[in-house]
Amino acid sequence: AQSVTQLDSHVSVSEGTPVLLRCNYSSSYSPSLFWYVQHPNKGLQLLLKYTSAATLVKGINGFEAEFKKSETSFHLTKPSAHMSDAAEYFCVVSDGTNAGKSTFGDGTTLTVKP
Amino acid sequence: SQTIHQWPATLVQPVGSPLSLECTVEGTSNPNLYWYRQAAGRGLQLLFYSVGIGQISSEVPQNLSASRPQDRQFILSSKKLLLSDSGFYLCAWSVSWTGTGELFFGEGSRLTVL
């Protein structure tokens, strides 16, 4: 079985400060983990993915995430927030069970203050 | 390269009217196809998925149905819309069998039922 928990429903940061969006997962097997971003009234865009290679994954727009098996976490970070980062972020796990379907977290809304 | 098209982008329909949302994928063969719904301020709910032509799995009992008449075409339908069918509908595809579970999303269809 697989599950994912996004620990914060809302995160607010000031422009230029670091971003941390937290995600914990549960999986019976070696999972693939993803972060997607969704801007208002748009589809989801892949930010980055972990698929059992390097544990520190770099994505688009300066985001990165670290897979920590011992902590079952896959937190998303960015050193310096930009106004354009304001969006909804989803953490997703896929471990080949559940008929190959992915499990989504409930999402974290990131607000960036000027 | 692969692309996914979803239409219409916006739809306003009266209660009791029919619905048809269409999604097509280009540049790949035998994809897994998915319909998700996103209610206002909520996460993604998987409605249907398909691993091949004519093969549809429903995740939740509801007023909607899905069909896959061709390999890269996925249609979401309803005979009579309910107010609760309002939401943002997203089509997605993934590589079948050997894929990591990465999903590729369309731009979404905003449905308002009045």
Side-chain angles (χ1 to χ4, degrees), chain B residues 85-106:
Chain B
D85 292 324
S86 294
F88 192 54
Y89 290 82
L90 289 158
C91 181
W93 73 272
S94 68
V95 175
S96 63
W97 301 115
T98 60
T100 60
E102 179 179 351
L103 292 165
F104 301 89
F105 286 86

Side-chain angles (χ1 to χ4, degrees), chain A residues 17 22 24 28 34 40 44 47 49 71 77 84 100 114:
Chain A
T17 64
R22 299 182 294 164
N24 286 351
S28 302
F34 309 84
L44 278 70
L47 275 179
K49 61 183 177 182
E71 299 177 11
T77 61
S84 61

Side-chain angles (χ1 to χ4, degrees), chain A residues 36 38 41 46 49 101, chain B residues 38 59 102-103 106-107 110:
Chain A
Y36 291 86
Q38 184 184 31
N41 293 309
L46 181 70
K49 61 183 177 182
K101 294 170 288 183
Chain B
Q38 189 175 29
E59 288 297 293
E102 179 179 351
L103 292 165
E107 284 294 295
R110 172 74 60 190

Side-chain angles (χ1 to χ4, degrees), chain B residues 1 8 11 55 82:
Chain B
S1 64
L11 198 60
Q55 302 178 61
L82 306 172

